[in-house]
């Protein structure tokens, strides 16, 4: 009983709609879907109860019968995106492969919904039922992995952080008109300046700086590293995960 009394109230802990008032015209699922569409089209800042009501052709007051506040609406939106991750697939027998596959799905969800990265910066975000399912599924994948329960939770947090980072890079590349982020634009070529998104140009610049002799540690690291990491985002994302996750769990790189 004490646990029930101290458990924080969330949008999921209340009935979908109060018993009073006229018959329901819509559901939380419909309201959340409209909010997702609005955020995808115009960004998270555009999502307000007033704007959402206009999109649904109703008044803001009617929405408050389903959602108590904008923060609750954002919680519903985050959980709806968590539901896009497919948790139904059977485990493949290799915890690292399965966790990397889960991370790729999470990264793709962030790419589809760029505003989600901004929402992840909110403090006090409530985990909804689908997000809890995701966390439990990830812990199930990690059951045979080495490491403590705390290390496994940290590894899942790292997975989410990298998903956000790579999604933000994808959004930045798209906003500059360079989705591949590894090509040179005609304007840059004609001016003799490589695009800032060109990884080969970045590597060449770093190597040139190191070769000047004023940064011996950088020069030694680049010399020891040999070939640069893969430029393909998927390959780089997977490479980082396969290196970092075993290390966090007390296991050497496979």
């Amino acid at each position: 009983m004490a646990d029930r009394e101290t458990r924080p109230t969330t949008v999921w802990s209340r009935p979908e709609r109060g018993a009073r008032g006229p018959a329901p015209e819509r559901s939380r699922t419909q309201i959340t879907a409209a909010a997702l569409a609005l955020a995808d089209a115009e960004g998270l800042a555009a999502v307000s109860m007033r704007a959402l009501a206009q999109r649904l052709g109703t008044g803001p007051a009617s929405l408050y019968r389903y959602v108590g506040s904008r923060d609750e609406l954002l919680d519903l939106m985050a959980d709806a995106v968590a539901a896009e991750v497919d948790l139904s697939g059977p485990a493949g027998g290799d915890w690292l492969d399965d966790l990397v596959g889960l991370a790729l799905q999470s990264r793709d969800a962030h790419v589809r919904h760029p505003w989600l990265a901004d929402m992840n910066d909110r403090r006090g975000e409530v985990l909804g039922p689908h997000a809890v399912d995701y966390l439990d599924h990830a812990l199930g994948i990690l059951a045979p992995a080495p490491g403590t329960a705390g290390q496994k939770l940290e590894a899942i947090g790292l997975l989410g952080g990298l998903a956000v980072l790579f999604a933000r890079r994808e959004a930045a590349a798209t906003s500059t008109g360079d989705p591949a982020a590894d090509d040179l634009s005609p304007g840059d070529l004609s001016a003799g300046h490589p695009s800032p998104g060109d990884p080969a140009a970045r590597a060449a610049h770093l190597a040139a700086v190191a070769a000047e002799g004023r940064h011996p540690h950088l020069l030694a690291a680049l010399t020891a590293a040999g070939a640069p990491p893969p430029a393909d985002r998927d390959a780089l994302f997977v490479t980082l995960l396969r290196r970092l996750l075993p290390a966090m769990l007390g296991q050497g790189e496979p």
Side-chain angles (χ1 to χ4, degrees):
M1 180 66 70
D3 289 342
R4 290 185 179 180
E5 292 176 353
T6 58
R7 184 180 299 171
T9 300
T10 70
V11 66
W12 296 281
S13 63
R14 300 193 310 272
E16 180 163 333
R17 185 183 176 280
R20 296 182 179 181
E25 300 174 354
R26 52 187 54 85
S27 66
R28 278 183 186 163
T29 299
Q30 292 171 325
I31 292 171
T32 304
L36 288 175
L38 180 59
D40 288 343
E42 303 182 32
L44 189 62
V47 178
S48 67
M49 300 299 277
R50 182 176 299 277
L52 182 58
Q54 291 177 348
R55 192 179 188 93
L56 290 168
T58 187
S62 68
L63 296 184
Y64 285 106
R65 294 201 296 266
Y66 303 87
V67 182
S69 66
R70 181 178 185 269
D71 282 343
E72 287 191 351
L73 177 64
L74 297 182
D75 290 336
L76 288 168
M77 292 167 62
D79 198 58
V81 176
E84 295 179 10
V85 178
D86 183 11
L87 307 179
S88 63
D94 185 304
W95 67 264
L96 185 54
D97 286 345
D98 291 342
L99 200 61
V100 167
L102 194 66
L104 286 168
Q105 284 200 69
S106 178
R107 192 277 317 271
D108 290 346
H110 280 82
V111 170
R112 289 192 299 272
H113 308 288
W115 49 267
L116 187 60
D118 296 329
M119 186 180 291
N120 288 342
D121 293 335
R122 295 170 57 224
R123 291 186 176 182
E125 183 178 351
V126 177
L127 288 182
H130 291 107
V132 173
D133 288 345
Y134 174 95
L135 179 59
D136 186 75
H137 183 77
L139 287 170
I141 289 175
L142 285 172
T148 66
Q151 288 174 324
K152 292 177 181 181
L153 287 170
E154 290 173 353
I156 296 169
L158 172 70
L159 181 155
L162 283 176
V164 172
L165 174 62
F166 274 72
R168 279 178 163 158
R169 290 181 61 185
E170 181 79 18
T174 302
S175 67
T176 59
D178 185 17
D182 57 2
D183 296 325
L184 300 180
S185 69
D188 290 330
L189 288 173
S190 63
H193 299 293
S195 165
D198 177 34
R202 291 197 303 268
H205 170 71
L206 194 59
V209 170
E212 293 174 356
R214 295 184 294 109
H215 304 87
H217 302 295
L218 176 59
L219 178 60
L222 291 176
T223 301
D232 177 75
R233 286 195 190 89
D234 280 356
L236 180 57
F237 185 64
V238 170
T239 296
L240 287 175
L241 286 172
R242 295 189 69 85
R243 287 178 179 173
L244 292 174
L245 290 171
M248 288 189 69
L249 298 172
Q251 177 178 314
E253 181 182 355

